[in-house]
Amino acid sequence: MEKEFITPTSGNDVPRFAGISTMLRLPLVPDPVGLDAAFVGVALDCGTSYRSGTRHGPRQIRHESSFVRHFNVATGADPFKSLRVADLGDIPVDPFSVVDAHEDIYKGARHIFQSGCIPMVLGGDHSLTYGMVRAAAEKHGPVGLIQFDAHSDTQDQQFGQRMAHACPMRRVLEDGLVDPRRMVQVGLRGSGYGVDDFDWQRSLGGWVVPAERCWNRSLAPLAVQIVKHMGSGPVYLSFDIDSLDPAHAPGTGTIEPGGLTLAQALELIRGLRGLNIIGFDLVEVSPPLDPFGSTALMAANLMFEMLCILPGVQYRPAHDPMSFRADLPPDWV
């Protein structure tokens, strides 16, 4: 029986400012069974240590996503004619206890993973990654992890709390949920508490690519090396919006100067095509700090790009972005 695909509502049929906000204007469905991939929100900020507001992230990302269209002209990815995709709404989480919230996240994620659906998570603060990876590892065993972030999130605790948003990567490694030899962190930067801030995960075999190594260069070659390094095993992607420079994403709680450009982020994400991606999240969008909605709009576009590289997405011929070069002076190209 031929699979029946789900097509998002077109802006030519219903104005983009109208209707109920769902991710990419997809249908809202109650259960992941029968879906290949699904967007799900985790409205969480009780793990935040500085400026809060990420509990409003999923709603705002959905709102801004109404401007994202269905076909990726740059890459040729045609996700909605390849996979059955919908919006599952939000996993209800305890807004007062980060420990209880993580149990809520794990239970919600576990159902999605066990159904065979790939979760695509709208955050929420970065502590949510622990619950998602816990559920992923229960199904797939220790997974590979690619993290885009300004911070390593490997602190042991914050004010005695071991589940804060600065700690999830330490917990997933300590609990054996992630294979440290298949962990890559890109974009780390800023001030720290000591010279060895990034050494703990390196000592376990993880790759750390500081932001300074990314300045003024294309990151497409780095993506090629990451794909080779990760191999064919299951991979979870975690994209903290503060990996981008504040010029691109000011609406987040712990900004750091000197981050990735949006073009570099696109190069990296598109370059990861071919990996066995079993889930991803995008976290730390804080709408109260994002008065023009630009950070949430960047987040929506980046989530679409990550959808486009999931296993099973078919590609059609795309427009060559350099096809105009015949009209340019030779010394420009």
Side-chain angles (χ1 to χ4, degrees), residues 78-111:
D78 202 355
F80 302 111
K81 291 185 178 179
S82 308
L83 306 175
R84 282 181 55 83
V85 186
D87 190 328
L88 295 176
D90 291 354
I91 296 174
V93 296
D94 189 322
F96 303 110
S97 167
V98 68
V99 174
D100 292 341
H102 276 276
E103 194 64 24
D104 296 333
I105 295 165
Y106 160 69
K107 290 177 181 177
R110 184 177 187 272
H111 177 57

Side-chain angles (χ1 to χ4, degrees), residues 18 30 56 67 80 117 136 148 154 196 205 209 220:
H56 304 292
F67 196 66
F80 302 111
C117 177
F148 303 86
T154 54
D196 60 348
V209 184

Side-chain angles (χ1 to χ4, degrees), residues 147 149-155 166 169 185 188 197-198 201:
Q147 175 190 356
D149 209 323
H151 313 95
S152 70
D153 294 346
T154 54
Q155 289 188 38
M169 302 311 165
Q185 297 175 307
L188 306 192
D197 268 13
F198 303 154
Q201 61 271 42

Side-chain angles (χ1 to χ4, degrees), residues 5-330:
F5 295 108
I6 301 170
T7 303
T9 300
S10 169
N12 293 322
D13 296 330
V14 178
R16 299 184 184 281
F17 51 79
I20 297 172
S21 290
T22 60
M23 189 62 182
L24 301 177
R25 311 187 89 193
L26 288 160
L28 181 66
V29 303
D31 195 273
V33 174
L35 298 176
D36 298 306
F39 292 100
V40 59
V42 177
L44 177 76
D45 67 3
C46 56
T48 303
S49 61
Y50 185 35
R51 299 189 295 176
S52 59
T54 55
R55 66 178 61 186
H56 304 292
R59 182 172 291 180
Q60 190 66 26
I61 296 170
R62 285 186 172 104
H63 174 71
E64 298 296 343
S65 77
S66 65
F67 196 66
V68 182
R69 299 172 183 87
H70 311 161
F71 179 73
N72 194 322
V73 178
T75 67
D78 202 355
F80 302 111
K81 291 185 178 179
S82 308
L83 306 175
R84 282 181 55 83
V85 186
D87 190 328
L88 295 176
D90 291 354
I91 296 174
V93 296
D94 189 322
F96 303 110
S97 167
V98 68
V99 174
D100 292 341
H102 276 276
E103 194 64 24
D104 296 333
I105 295 165
Y106 160 69
K107 290 177 181 177
R110 184 177 187 272
H111 177 57
I112 299 171
F113 278 112
Q114 294 301 324
S115 74
C117 177
I118 297 174
M120 304 177 287
V121 182
L122 301 81
D125 75 58
H126 212 162
S127 67
L128 69 84
T129 300
Y130 176 80
M132 296 303 303
V133 173
R134 178 185 169 195
E138 185 176 285
K139 177 172 183 178
H140 297 282
V143 300
L145 176 66
I146 302 173
Q147 175 190 356
F148 303 86
D149 209 323
H151 313 95
S152 70
D153 294 346
T154 54
Q155 289 188 38
D156 185 51
Q157 54 84 25
Q158 284 190 302
F159 297 97
Q161 175 54 257
R162 290 167 55 82
M163 300 302 290
H165 72 160
C167 309
M169 302 311 165
R170 193 172 192 100
R171 298 288 89 82
V172 297
L173 289 168
E174 287 180 340
D175 292 355
L177 309 176
V178 167
D179 179 354
R181 297 164 299 178
R182 298 180 65 241
M183 181 173 183
V184 179
Q185 297 175 307
V186 181
L188 306 192
R189 62 190 188 277
S191 55
Y193 294 105
V195 69
D196 60 348
D197 268 13
F198 303 154
D199 289 346
W200 181 77
Q201 61 271 42
R202 283 178 173 139
S203 72
L204 301 176
W207 280 14
V208 175
V209 184
E212 289 82 357
R213 293 292 301 275
C214 301
W215 291 349
N216 304 313
R217 65 195 302 180
S218 167
L219 298 188
L222 174 61
V224 171
Q225 293 303 311
I226 292 174
V227 170
K228 290 180 180 178
H229 180 67
M230 301 304 284
S232 60
V235 176
Y236 187 90
L237 304 184
S238 187
F239 196 107
D240 190 323
I241 202 70
D242 71 23
S243 63
L244 298 179
D245 189 83
H248 302 285
T252 188
T254 49
I255 59 175
E256 302 280 1
L260 303 179
T261 67
L262 186 59
Q264 288 176 320
L266 291 173
E267 285 182 316
L268 283 170
I269 293 171
R270 292 172 180 175
L272 299 181
R273 175 185 172 191
L275 288 177
N276 180 20
I277 299 169
I278 49 85
F280 66 78
D281 61 52
L282 190 146
V283 298
E284 298 288 353
V285 172
S286 179
L289 305 173
D290 188 32
F292 302 109
S294 58
T295 306
L297 179 61
M298 296 306 100
N301 277 273
L302 291 170
M303 293 197 78
F304 173 70
E305 293 285 346
M306 288 190 276
L307 164 64
C308 287
I309 63 167
L310 291 184
V313 171
Q314 301 299 310
Y315 282 68
R316 293 190 287 164
H319 173 70
D320 179 2
M322 294 303 293
S323 62
F324 66 97
R325 58 188 164 187
D327 302 323
L328 295 172

